[in-house]
Amino acid sequence: MIVVRGLLLLFLLFLSYSVLGYIVEILFCSIDNKKVVLNRGFLLGPYLPIYGVGAILITFLLYRYRNDLVALFVMGAVLCSIIEYFTSLIMEKIFKIRWWDYSHMQFNLNGRICLFNSCMFGLGGIVIMKIINPFYMRILDGLSNFWIIIIGSILGVVFFSDVVISIVTLIQLKLNSNMFISKDATEEVKRIIRQTLSKKTFFVSRILNAFPKITLINNEQLKEFNDFIEHIRRERKKEKRKKERK
């Protein structure tokens, strides 16, 4: 039970920072583009796993530097920049698409990372270690094993279903960089994935059949994902009724 609780707490920490990273990213992108930008990352739900991974690594690898703000800032910036650079490189090699591009930013490296973002990562590392983690862990420590398992299991099903759906859809679409106007194809790719899934591909039907009773109505952070799934389910029921009438 201790091991299960530990793993679920780790996952909840990862998912929480993924959601927080999504919120921060859309705020910065909206300011930078002077318009509201909501579609970041290729997953359907409101989370960016790269931020979750970065926060987890900062939490464990930089714990010894938690009282040295300078070291925490520098090492947090370096660590997260390395993660961002190689995530961009690997995803581009796999999907043949540039997911984000900082070529327009000063002091960038191959458009994959830039000095401004690195500094923000450094500040983020300080905020994570000194403010968010202590507050968040107090909340989680107050939850019983029962609620940790329930919450972690439900969110785990939603998240990993999203990952599988999105990756399989990307592979099926066979996208390439020539399909997009800008190098940063994140927003356009997410839009294409949504359009494709709204046509009820085989894999979406498979997921809906496997998890017919998935509901997250009371979870505001994942309401967008839930609404999308419910929309597809309603459309499938309508088509089924039409076929039965015929």
Side-chain angles (χ1 to χ4, degrees), residues 32-45:
D32 186 51
N33 289 275
K34 297 181 176 59
K35 65 176 183 178
V36 178
V37 176
L38 295 177
N39 292 329
R40 300 302 299 170
F42 70 90
L43 297 179
L44 298 172

Side-chain angles (χ1 to χ4, degrees), residues 93-107:
K93 294 295 183 182
I94 293 175
F95 298 110
K96 311 303 180 184
I97 301 171
R98 173 66 68 91
W99 292 91
W100 58 82
D101 183 66
Y102 303 129
S103 297
H104 63 291
M105 303 285 286
Q106 289 185 324
F107 309 109

Side-chain angles (χ1 to χ4, degrees), residues 25-243:
E25 179 111 350
I26 62 175
L27 287 175
F28 274 101
C29 289
S30 296
I31 293 172
D32 186 51
N33 289 275
K34 297 181 176 59
K35 65 176 183 178
V36 178
V37 176
L38 295 177
N39 292 329
R40 300 302 299 170
F42 70 90
L43 297 179
L44 298 172
Y47 28 64
L48 293 172
I50 188 172
Y51 286 94
V53 172
I56 293 295
L57 291 179
I58 286 175
T59 298
F60 287 96
L61 298 182
L62 304 185
Y63 182 78
R64 68 179 70 177
Y65 304 105
R66 65 190 182 281
N67 295 320
D68 186 341
L69 297 185
V70 175
L72 192 56
F73 174 85
V74 173
M75 298 188 74
V78 172
L79 176 62
C80 291
S81 295
I82 291 174
I83 294 172
E84 183 174 43
Y85 186 91
F86 283 101
T87 299
S88 171
L89 180 64
I90 292 170
M91 291 184 69
E92 185 173 340
K93 294 295 183 182
I94 293 175
F95 298 110
K96 311 303 180 184
I97 301 171
R98 173 66 68 91
W99 292 91
W100 58 82
D101 183 66
Y102 303 129
S103 297
H104 63 291
M105 303 285 286
Q106 289 185 324
F107 309 109
N108 71 84
L109 181 60
N110 299 326
R112 301 186 190 281
I113 58 175
C114 64
L115 181 61
F116 175 79
N117 275 23
S118 296
C119 290
M120 292 297 101
F121 292 147
L123 290 175
I126 294 175
V127 173
I128 286 171
M129 296 300 290
K130 304 300 289 186
I131 300 175
I132 302 178
N133 273 358
F135 172 76
Y136 187 64
M137 292 311 297
R138 281 197 299 270
I139 294 176
L140 290 180
D141 287 341
L143 295 176
S144 66
N145 289 336
F146 173 80
W147 284 111
I148 289 293
I149 292 174
I150 293 297
I151 296 172
S153 298
I154 292 175
L155 294 181
V157 168
V158 174
F159 176 76
F160 289 108
S161 297
D162 189 341
V163 171
V164 174
I165 290 172
S166 299
I167 290 178
V168 170
T169 304
L170 275 174
I171 293 173
Q172 291 176 342
L173 290 175
K174 297 180 180 179
L175 303 177
N176 63 72
S177 58
N178 296 325
M179 297 173 63
F180 306 101
I181 298 174
S182 62
K183 289 184 178 180
D184 186 338
T186 300
E187 187 171 356
E188 294 177 79
V189 169
K190 192 163 186 174
R191 177 179 55 78
I192 291 174
I193 289 176
R194 285 181 175 278
Q195 289 178 344
T196 302
L197 293 182
S198 67
K199 298 176 182 178
K200 298 168 286 300
T201 61
F202 167 79
F203 200 78
V204 173
S205 297
R206 172 68 182 84
I207 290 296
L208 292 178
N209 289 331
F211 307 104
K213 295 184 179 180
I214 269 188
T215 56
L216 287 168
I217 296 174
N218 295 324
N219 191 308
E220 291 298 323
Q221 291 179 330
L222 295 177
K223 187 174 184 299
E224 181 185 5
F225 181 86
N226 181 70
D227 290 343
F228 180 71
I229 294 297
E230 287 299 324
H231 170 73
I232 295 177
R233 186 179 286 120
R234 286 195 298 270
E235 290 298 312
R236 292 180 67 235
K237 287 181 179 178
K238 288 180 182 179
E239 288 190 0
K240 186 176 180 180
R241 284 196 294 267
K242 287 181 181 178
K243 290 179 180 179

